[in-house]
């Protein structure tokens, strides 16, 4: 999930993150309990969050069928320049994330927050 | 080298604590006290036991998160050095290191080596901040602050808020901490506008939450930020000024 990303690379990344996450939830060893302050438990909670966030970033990158901002989808470029698609993608994605049980498969729901500009029309900057 | 570590274990604030003895092998002299604890914790986790809880963050001596008592010395055997920079080079192979939390009445133990230092936050909330409505920012050179004044204010602002001064003081006084805030802020033009209220509020917190100051100077000897003992005198200076101004 780099600055330049492709559909193939993202699918590969998602599969690897899911594998890592499944391993984390089955193999993680946390000493102590939640009854007292437990720094190992705090760290494990943070890793669990990062694994969810990693999958979300890859899912969002795969979902967006354009090159926008500082990131490039290699499929959506014209001679090395980013190709935006304002007709279909002029919105910010806000994702709902759900799981049937802790550590279970994540279900992502995309909500769109439309971007509307009244005084300046949308345009694509040319660096050529 | 091989070190015997006597480390304080305490399940919670209301539970009695005790020292636990462990032997750590392969300790390098350039390691810090915190890295000795890291090595001990790896050993404990490998043995299926709970690691020793302790706080640390930057490990560069600038954040103030760490702080343990080593062989009875706040932060460790070297003066004016935080726990993260206290090296083990002074310990001979086979010797014993005793690590316990900061000891102060205002710092209850939360777990093992972690103490609750929120009394310091209470002092900051009471007066260790600037609450002047300054309006829009003036031009940088419109309000003149002399270079020497600015440097002096910065010297007092170097406090990292670790609480070592409180733990080092036989009375558990926080005058070095409180004084560093008063000195730093009274030297600068905008914070100086609320100088009197600040002095009253900080002195009140110092008296309510911490012990009295007897000028032992242990605080300045332990302080990892090198705050001079002058800060302690500033507390009384500011208190006196505030009292005089109130009567006028």
């Amino acid at each position: 999930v780099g600055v330049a990303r492709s559909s193939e690379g993202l699918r590969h990344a998602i599969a690897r993150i899911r594998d890592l996450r499944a391993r984390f939830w089955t193999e993680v060893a946390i000493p102590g309990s939640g009854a007292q302050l437990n720094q190992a438990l705090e760290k494990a909670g943070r890793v669990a969050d990062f694994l969810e966030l990693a999958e979300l970033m890859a899912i969002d990158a795969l979902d967006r069928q354009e090159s926008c901002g500082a990131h490039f989808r290699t499929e959506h470029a014209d001679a090395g320049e980013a190709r935006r698609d304002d007709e279909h993608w002029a919105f910010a994605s806000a994702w709902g994330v759900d799981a049937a049980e802790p550590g279970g498969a994540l279900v992502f729901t995309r909500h769109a927050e439309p971007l509307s500009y009244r005084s300046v029309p949308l345009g694509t900057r040319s660096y050529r | 080298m091989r070190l015997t570590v006597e480390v304080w274990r305490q399940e919670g604030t209301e539970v009695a604590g005790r020292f636990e003895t462990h032997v750590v092998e392969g300790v390098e002299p350039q390691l810090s006290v915190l890295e000795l604890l890291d090595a001990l914790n790896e050993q404990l986790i490998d043995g299926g036991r709970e690691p020793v809880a302790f706080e640390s963050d930057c490990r560069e001596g600038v954040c103030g998160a760490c702080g343990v008592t080593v062989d009875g010395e706040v932060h460790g055997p070297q003066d004016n050095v935080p726990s993260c920079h206290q090296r083990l080079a002074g310990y001979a192979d086979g010797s014993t290191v005793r690590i316990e939390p900061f000891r102060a009445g205002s710092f209850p133990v939360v777990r093992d080596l972690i103490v609750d230092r929120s009394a310091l936050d209470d002092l900051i909330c009471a007066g260790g901040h600037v609450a002047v409505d300054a309006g829009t920012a003036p031009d940088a050179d419109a309000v003149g602050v002399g270079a020497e004044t600015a440097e002096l204010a910065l010297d007092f602002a170097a406090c990292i808020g670790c609480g070592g001064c409180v733990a080092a003081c036989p009375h558990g006084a926080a005058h070095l901490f409180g004084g560093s805030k008063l000195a730093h802020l009274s030297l600068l033009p905008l914070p100086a506008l609320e100088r009197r209220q600040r002095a009253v509020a900080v002195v009140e917190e110092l008296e309510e939450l911490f012990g009295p100051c007897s000028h032992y100077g242990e605080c300045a000897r332990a302080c990892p930020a090198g705050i001079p003992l002058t800060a302690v005198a500033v507390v009384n200076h500011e208190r006196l000024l505030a009292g005089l101004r109130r009567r006028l």
Side-chain angles (χ1 to χ4, degrees):
Chain A
V1 193
V3 171
R5 61 279 294 268
S6 66
S7 162
E8 191 198 343
L10 288 168
R11 284 176 207 282
H12 177 67
I14 290 166
R16 286 197 61 189
I17 295 165
R18 284 185 179 155
D19 181 45
L20 266 176
R21 194 163 161 273
R23 278 186 58 197
F24 171 83
W25 281 92
T26 48
E27 294 174 26
V28 68
I30 304 164
S33 71
Q36 300 105 10
L37 177 105
N38 186 335
Q39 290 177 310
L41 185 61
E42 287 171 13
K43 279 177 199 152
R46 240 175 286 160
V47 173
D49 286 347
F50 285 144
L51 286 168
E52 265 183 40
L53 186 62
E55 189 171 331
L56 170 64
M57 282 169 72
I59 290 280
D60 181 55
L62 181 64
D63 174 65
R64 190 160 280 263
Q65 298 301 321
E66 65 165 350
S67 289
C68 188
H71 296 90
F72 294 87
R73 274 292 294 272
T74 51
E75 298 93 338
H76 302 288
D78 295 315
E81 293 286 322
R83 186 173 63 227
R84 240 172 47 202
D85 178 1
D86 292 330
E87 197 188 323
H88 300 103
W89 292 93
F91 60 83
S93 303
W95 291 90
V97 184
D98 220 350
E101 55 190 340
L106 298 174
V107 182
F108 294 96
T109 316
R110 191 190 69 202
H111 306 282
E113 290 176 359
L115 299 169
S116 49
Y117 302 95
R118 274 171 296 177
S119 30
V120 183
L122 281 170
T124 308
R125 188 178 288 152
S126 171
Y127 293 97
R128 264 174 251 183
Chain B
M1 62 183 176
R2 170 198 166 100
L3 288 177
T4 302
V5 184
E6 292 175 354
V7 66
W8 186 261
R9 303 303 303 259
Q10 188 171 338
E11 297 274 306
T13 310
E14 304 299 332
V15 192
R18 71 203 180 279
F19 280 104
E20 209 175 76
T21 307
H22 297 278
V23 174
V24 184
E25 308 268 2
V27 180
E28 303 287 337
Q30 68 269 29
L31 291 189
S32 72
V33 168
L34 301 188
E35 284 157 344
L36 175 65
L37 287 169
D38 288 337
L40 171 63
N41 277 347
E42 271 179 39
Q43 199 172 300
L44 287 171
I45 291 167
D46 286 347
R49 303 195 46 196
E50 276 195 76
V52 178
F54 69 96
E55 283 187 286
S56 78
D57 194 3
C58 73
R59 301 210 178 188
E60 290 182 351
V62 294
C63 78
C66 70
V68 292
T69 307
V70 185
D71 291 331
E73 301 275 354
V74 166
H75 276 302
Q78 291 161 273
D79 289 348
N80 303 118
V81 174
S83 292
C84 58
H85 278 180
Q86 295 273 350
R87 307 290 156 195
L88 300 169
Y91 288 92
D93 187 24
S95 55
T96 301
V97 189
R98 175 173 271 216
I99 304 175
E100 57 190 309
F102 273 176
R103 301 294 191 188
S106 51
F107 292 167
V109 173
V110 177
R111 180 137 207 224
D112 297 340
L113 304 175
I114 299 182
V115 293
D116 177 0
R117 290 173 284 188
S118 54
L120 298 177
D121 300 336
D122 293 344
L123 190 145
I124 294 294
C125 290
H129 59 274
V130 184
V132 180
D133 184 359
T136 46
D139 283 341
D141 51 4
V143 185
V145 182
E148 276 178 30
T149 309
E151 286 294 328
L152 193 60
L154 267 178
D155 285 348
F156 286 111
C159 168
I160 56 175
C162 65
C165 47
V166 181
C169 177
H171 297 319
H175 281 55
L176 197 76
F177 177 78
S180 71
K181 312 298 159 214
L182 293 177
H184 156 215
L185 295 171
S186 66
L187 285 163
L188 300 172
L190 282 176
L193 296 176
E194 46 186 6
R195 191 169 178 175
R196 193 186 74 76
Q197 300 97 294
R198 176 176 304 110
V200 171
V202 165
V203 168
E204 202 174 285
E205 291 296 302
L206 284 176
E207 286 175 351
E208 202 171 297
L209 302 173
F210 303 95
C213 171
S214 299
H215 305 108
Y216 283 110
E218 286 295 317
C219 49
R221 195 170 68 82
C223 177
I227 301 290
L229 199 55
T230 324
V232 164
V234 169
V235 173
N236 287 329
H237 179 253
E238 290 293 310
R239 186 211 313 248
L240 193 65
L241 274 184
L244 286 175
R245 281 201 195 120
R246 199 199 317 235
R247 266 181 228 118
L248 286 175

